Amino acid sequence: MAIEVVASSIMTSDVTPHVARCVGGDLWVVSWLPGRTLNSKQAVTAMTIAASVATSGLPVEGDWTALDGLALELGLTGREAAFMVARENHDYRRTRIPRGRAPE
């Protein structure tokens, strides 16, 4: 599991489709936390949670403690974070194809 920072403006992972994007300064938005702005440390934590849930699925009882510790930095419980990661599981890395005009 690796989290990569691309050109200081986007964080990706090789195990999850979730991404974090820098929106200026030390402010980041993470795909599974829509509507929230995080600092860079919190964005790394959010990406770590997403990667962890992606590689292990729903955590077993012993894993919740570690996930709770990470999620606490984001003001969440581990269960809330795991649910949100699963719920917002879209592939944000895909390149969007611009819509053209309909053929006449």
Side-chain angles (χ1 to χ4, degrees):
M1 166 177 74
I3 296 172
E4 179 181 7
V5 179
V6 181
S8 299
S9 63
I10 190 165
M11 291 182 209
T12 63
S13 171
D14 57 346
V15 295
T16 180
H18 289 289
V19 296
R21 289 190 171 90
C22 182
V23 293
D26 189 35
L27 300 174
W28 293 78
V29 293
V30 178
S31 57
W32 66 268
L33 287 169
R36 289 194 52 189
T37 305
L38 308 174
N39 63 38
S40 58
K41 184 176 186 279
Q42 291 171 317
V44 169
T45 299
M47 288 300 294
T48 301
I49 291 169
S52 176
V53 170
T55 57
S56 63
L58 281 179
V60 294
E61 195 57 40
D63 296 335
W64 285 115
T65 303
L67 195 56
D68 279 334
L70 289 169
L72 183 62
E73 186 178 333
L74 305 177
L76 301 169
T77 67
R79 284 174 171 74
E80 288 172 325
F83 173 78
M84 293 171 79
V85 167
R87 190 174 116 229
E88 292 291 333
N89 198 14
H90 311 290
D91 193 349
Y92 294 95
R93 297 175 297 183
R94 288 188 312 209
T95 303
R96 293 182 189 235
I97 300 170
R99 293 184 185 183
R101 291 181 51 195
E104 296 178 15

